[in-house]
Amino acid sequence: MDDVAIKIDKLQKVFRLPHEKRSSVKSLFINFYRDRRSFERQEALKDISLEINKGEFFGIIGRNGSGKSTLLKLLAEIYTPTEGTIEVNGSLTPFIELGVGFNPELTGRENVYLNGALLGFNRKDMRKIYSDIVEFAELEKFMDQKLKNYSSGMQVRLAFSIAIRADSDILLIDEVLAVGDALFQQKCYDYFEQLKKAGKTIVFISHDMGAVESFCDRAALLDQGKLITQGHPQEVIHRYGEMLAKYDEDPNRRQKKDGLKHIGAGGALITKGSIINSKGETTNRISEGEPFAVRIYYEVENKLEDPVIGIGIMGKQDQSIIGPNTKESGYELPILEKRGYVEAHFKSNPLSTGTYRLRASIMNTSVTVPYDFVERLLTFTVIGKKRYGDIYVEPKWSQSTNKGK
Amino acid sequence: MRTDFKLRYQGSILGYTWSLLRPLLLFLILYVVFVKFLRIGEGVPHFPVYLLLGIVIWNFFHEMTVQSLTSIVGRGDLIRKIRIPRWIIILSSSISALINLLLNLIVVIFFMVINKVELLDTIVWLPLILLEVYIFAVGLSLFLSAAYVKYRDVNYIWEVILQAGFYITPILYPLTLITNLTLQKLIMLNPMAQAIQDARYVSVTHETVVGYQVFDGGWYMLIPFFIVTASFIGGLFYFKSQAKYFAENI
């Protein structure tokens, strides 16, 4: 038992979400005699049992709303378990967010002390490490300025510099540390390496599979509050990929999507979309540079002469990255009848690492009226190197020296 | 945790002096209206100091409960993101109120000197009386702040109660103004009335009517102390039972 840092036993967390939140005394009285069961039990976590060993780098992955953050907050004792127990051996510091308690009206110096106090440092400790913090953040000149005059980058740097001083046995890290520019991320990752060497126990939540794979000794997958699997990070990530693919094929969900998202004149329907990888398999994950195809399934009521089918790949900020259609490409579709599919083949995937959304439409010849348009047909992920930019096109570099102007 | 205090006067030119000026100005207004115009308290020696002390103590109580009331919700970002004992938040707002009280007491002492109030040896009891007010305020603060997380109109209700409390407590008027003995007794059941009268008795003038006289030494003169204890224990327990769920309810 000595090597167990965190032991979670049959943990359950239920949130009571009132349909109409009784946030005033008046409504408390009014609702008193009415239906009092008008709240929803939301089971954020169901029957989780987990052991995290000392010195382990433990990753938790899962979709949004799968209960990852709730679990972290339970470990941090910010929430109280509904049922089950959590045993923690050793001191614990949670990083749910950087710079908690930072006050824009106070100076940098005061904020360092304040934030340090919140992380459990006393005044004496702080005096000792203060100069290290300032040096690391490279903010010597600004410490007596009010925080509100700092750029957001400076604030993050300061917060991070304080956070890494936390000398607990167990650190809970929410994705927060993985924000910021590339240089800052590198700093975070260097810090993770250091922590690992120092033999700290770390619980790490992330959507960045690359980070989970490279840092974690073990990982766990959560879905809808349940622990799906735990074990070697690669296996868990693989399972996660499968789960995502399955989730998108879930007939209930598709029906819902079908019912909701169609915009158009009618007469033709986009029933499904899929991504086909280079091996000809249907998938939601493709690699950078890999040839792939987008397949659009359609269903036509009568006959459709001279239609145009278009697809769009949308990035994280919902910006359109590419949006080709058959007419633009000079590809003439035959008369469409009944059902079938159209495929758009890409020789090489120019998209860089990230999540993308596919939309599709069937339009008339002049590309003015959509018969059907589906904004959110599917989402897919591209795995590859971290790039600056959503698409990656390899340039050819050259250099010349400018002699004698 | 000095943040509260520091922040409050951040950017105002007079800074800390405002915490002294505010009760002083209020005192000035009340003094002119009640003492000069309405001529209340003519029979009471050193009435200005007597009045000021009452105001200062009431202000302390007022400030502390009002500030604590919203403190848990106001610090929601902290509560949802880090592990801090919840009561620290209440403690911090109570400390800033205490600092204010001390500053205000200095002003009271200043006026005592000007008014040539004789130094009574009973003044040694004053800290104990202030402690009673503090405990009472902490108890209420714990209760109110926890309740406010759930029911957001607690603050309006409390505002009204404070408003009423200000007038049913003999702050502006000497208790002797009320001739009905039953009414006097009812008023003196209020811990704030008892504390303020006692504070005046021990530090300004022995002519202050205190609970002992009103109740004729009956056992119910202990009721205010009972209320204080009950509200402290009750507040503490309510706060403790609710503290676990602050993070999800805010």
Side-chain angles (χ1 to χ4, degrees), chain B residues 61-74:
Chain B
F61 176 75
H62 179 107
E63 191 189 326
M64 191 164 144
T65 50
V66 167
Q67 260 177 38
S68 307
L69 181 91
T70 51
S71 63
I72 295 288
V73 172

Side-chain angles (χ1 to χ4, degrees), chain A residues 150-348:
Chain A
Y150 282 33
S151 76
S152 52
M154 284 154 80
Q155 289 190 18
V156 171
R157 243 151 64 203
L158 188 63
F160 183 70
S161 311
I162 306 166
I164 63 166
R165 299 287 150 181
D167 196 28
S168 300
D169 306 328
I170 305 166
L171 296 166
L172 306 179
I173 302 174
D174 206 337
E175 290 177 278
V176 289
L177 289 187
V179 295
D181 58 23
L183 212 68
F184 182 71
Q185 277 196 0
Q186 193 52 49
K187 245 180 176 174
C188 292
Y189 291 150
D190 289 347
Y191 165 60
F192 287 172
E193 287 293 348
Q194 270 177 39
L195 288 175
K196 239 180 130 165
K197 273 186 205 142
K200 306 262 184 201
T201 310
I202 292 153
V203 182
F204 178 56
I205 290 186
S206 184
H207 284 295
D208 182 353
M209 295 305 142
V212 172
E213 205 172 327
S214 54
F215 290 110
C216 295
D217 303 314
R218 277 200 310 145
L221 173 62
L222 291 184
D223 188 45
Q224 293 174 3
K226 277 183 286 209
L227 182 67
I228 304 294
T229 184
Q230 55 168 315
H232 193 270
Q234 262 176 349
E235 285 161 25
V236 175
I237 291 171
H238 182 71
R239 184 73 194 273
Y240 182 48
E242 278 179 1
M243 198 186 81
L244 284 181
K246 220 200 257 156
Y247 193 76
D248 247 42
E249 280 164 17
D250 185 352
N252 289 331
R253 201 175 125 83
R254 207 169 61 232
Q255 220 131 55
K256 223 180 193 175
K257 207 192 308 184
D258 276 348
L260 281 172
K261 306 284 181 191
H262 291 275
I263 306 165
L269 213 61
I270 292 165
T271 52
K272 192 184 157 186
S274 56
I275 305 281
I276 317 288
N277 68 10
S278 52
K279 290 174 206 146
E281 299 161 347
T282 304
T283 180
N284 281 83
R285 290 153 69 81
I286 48 175
S287 308
E288 184 188 294
E290 181 190 359
F292 75 103
V294 175
R295 190 181 286 176
I296 306 295
Y297 291 84
Y298 62 82
E299 214 177 290
V300 177
E301 246 171 59
N302 300 313
K303 260 185 199 176
L304 217 55
E305 285 176 47
D306 290 337
V308 176
I309 289 186
I311 58 169
I313 293 177
M314 316 295 286
K316 282 155 228 148
Q317 270 92 43
D318 259 357
Q319 80 279 27
S320 173
I321 293 169
I322 47 172
N325 63 48
T326 50
K327 192 184 181 186
E328 195 183 75
S329 308
Y331 174 76
E332 267 180 52
L333 279 169
I335 294 169
L336 299 184
E337 273 182 294
K338 290 172 188 166
R339 44 187 86 187
Y341 63 79
V342 173
E343 271 185 356
H345 299 270
F346 293 86
K347 262 183 232 150
S348 167

Side-chain angles (χ1 to χ4, degrees), chain A residues 13 23 25 76 92 110, chain B residues 6-7 81 83 152-153 248:
Chain A
K13 178 71 192 170
S23 57
V25 175
L92 182 148
E110 287 165 326
Chain B
K6 263 192 126 159
L7 278 180
K81 279 161 201 155
R83 255 200 321 180
R152 292 299 161 89
D153 47 14
E248 48 200 271

Side-chain angles (χ1 to χ4, degrees), chain A residues 3-238:
Chain A
D3 50 348
V4 175
I6 299 174
K7 190 179 148 98
I8 303 168
D9 190 36
K10 296 202 180 86
L11 182 69
Q12 192 191 15
K13 178 71 192 170
V14 179
F15 289 112
R16 290 172 39 156
L17 301 175
H19 283 137
E20 207 177 324
K21 194 170 161 55
R22 272 191 332 223
S23 57
S24 71
V25 175
K26 185 180 140 207
S27 53
L28 168 74
F29 284 118
I30 293 171
N31 289 336
F32 198 72
Y33 297 103
R34 269 206 245 148
D35 185 15
R36 295 184 65 194
R37 284 157 300 169
S38 72
F39 59 80
E40 214 173 319
R41 278 167 60 90
Q42 194 206 11
E43 294 188 320
L45 288 175
K46 291 171 225 167
D47 200 27
I48 307 271
S49 293
L50 204 62
E51 271 183 25
I52 296 169
N53 298 326
K54 274 189 182 150
E56 200 168 36
F57 211 119
F58 194 89
I60 299 175
I61 58 176
R63 295 169 43 81
N64 286 333
S66 58
K68 301 185 300 284
S69 293
T70 307
L71 181 60
L72 209 65
K73 286 187 175 181
L74 281 163
L75 290 177
E77 286 176 36
I78 292 169
Y79 289 161
T80 315
T82 311
E83 258 167 59
T85 53
I86 298 173
E87 265 177 59
V88 176
N89 291 319
S91 58
L92 182 148
T93 306
F95 295 117
I96 311 286
E97 197 180 286
L98 277 178
V100 172
F102 264 18
N103 199 316
E105 290 290 342
L106 297 178
T107 67
R109 184 187 307 276
E110 287 165 326
N111 269 303
V112 169
Y113 277 90
L114 191 67
N115 198 244
L118 293 174
L119 288 177
F121 289 110
N122 60 33
R123 213 152 254 281
K124 225 165 140 193
D125 296 336
M126 281 311 288
R127 228 167 274 146
K128 261 187 247 162
I129 59 176
Y130 176 75
S131 56
D132 289 344
I133 290 173
V134 178
E135 200 181 319
F136 191 85
E138 300 160 24
L139 290 169
E140 289 93 340
K141 286 183 211 154
F142 303 97
M143 291 318 285
D144 288 317
Q145 275 185 27
K146 282 185 184 175
L147 200 73
K148 63 180 173 188
N149 299 329
Y150 282 33
S151 76
S152 52
M154 284 154 80
Q155 289 190 18
V156 171
R157 243 151 64 203
L158 188 63
F160 183 70
S161 311
I162 306 166
I164 63 166
R165 299 287 150 181
D167 196 28
S168 300
D169 306 328
I170 305 166
L171 296 166
L172 306 179
I173 302 174
D174 206 337
E175 290 177 278
V176 289
L177 289 187
V179 295
D181 58 23
L183 212 68
F184 182 71
Q185 277 196 0
Q186 193 52 49
K187 245 180 176 174
C188 292
Y189 291 150
D190 289 347
Y191 165 60
F192 287 172
E193 287 293 348
Q194 270 177 39
L195 288 175
K196 239 180 130 165
K197 273 186 205 142
K200 306 262 184 201
T201 310
I202 292 153
V203 182
F204 178 56
I205 290 186
S206 184
H207 284 295
D208 182 353
M209 295 305 142
V212 172
E213 205 172 327
S214 54
F215 290 110
C216 295
D217 303 314
R218 277 200 310 145
L221 173 62
L222 291 184
D223 188 45
Q224 293 174 3
K226 277 183 286 209
L227 182 67
I228 304 294
T229 184
Q230 55 168 315
H232 193 270
Q234 262 176 349
E235 285 161 25
V236 175
I237 291 171
H238 182 71

